[in-house]
Amino acid sequence: MTVTPLPRLRAGALRLLVLLLVVGGIGAAAAGHGAMRWESVRAEAMALHDHVAEYPLAPIVFVAIMVAGSLVFVPRTILVAAGGLLFGFWPGLAWGTIGSTLGALAGFVLARYVNAGLVDAATLPRLAPALRAADRSGWRAIAVLRLLPLPHTPVNYALGVTRISFWSYAIGSAIGMFPASLVCAQLGANGNTVLSGGDWLLSTLATLVLISLSLILPRLKIVRRSLRTGAD
């Protein structure tokens, strides 16, 4: 049986201790750098937020960006979340809803009255049942369709080539897009709360509840039945 000399054990323990100190030092430095970086990002974000808040035309510019973004395939949900971050929950929700609705109307009008081959219902076979439902059921089918996780811009253009009236489309779109806007505005407002160092826990829980409801809502039987009934 070989006995390890005591000096060798001490040398091994010393090397292990040095290694742990080095790793701990690296971790502490990384954590400190991360904290400094976060504080820098936080300060820059809050400065931008304060600058936007002081600019009186910021809401109008935001709505214009949303309308333009809806025509070039920019996800409206990202823009609504940005509105919640910049303006807070209720103003962000209001301006996001207005921008979403106007953007949807812009795509609808462009497809219906300008078109020039922008979209053809035949090229969107997956939307065909929903488009037939919109033709038959009016604004209710539009509202149901807007609850589904479908790309915003192609749906705007596709609905523009249906026979649905302008006002039915506007009302149905505003109602159907509101739940997702609510979730995204709350999500953006949560980011604002985190950046400002406020209490974000309750608002985050509320957002999770809203997200869960927005995912469940399109799967309800009454929603699916509405589309099937209109398509038959």
Side-chain angles (χ1 to χ4, degrees), residues 135-193:
D135 274 336
R136 291 174 177 238
S137 302
W139 69 268
R140 295 177 182 82
I142 299 296
V144 171
L145 181 60
R146 290 297 189 182
L147 293 174
L148 303 178
L150 298 171
H152 182 62
T153 304
V155 172
N156 297 340
Y157 290 146
L159 290 170
V161 298
T162 64
R163 296 189 302 273
I164 191 169
S165 71
F166 177 85
W167 289 112
S168 293
Y169 171 82
I171 294 171
S173 293
I175 294 174
M177 291 188 297
F178 185 77
S181 296
L182 190 69
V183 173
C184 294
Q186 181 64 66
L187 191 63
N190 285 353
N192 189 10
T193 302

Side-chain angles (χ1 to χ4, degrees), residues 108-122:
F108 178 85
V109 169
L110 190 63
R112 172 162 293 186
Y113 300 108
V114 180
N115 200 349
L118 279 174
V119 68
D120 184 350

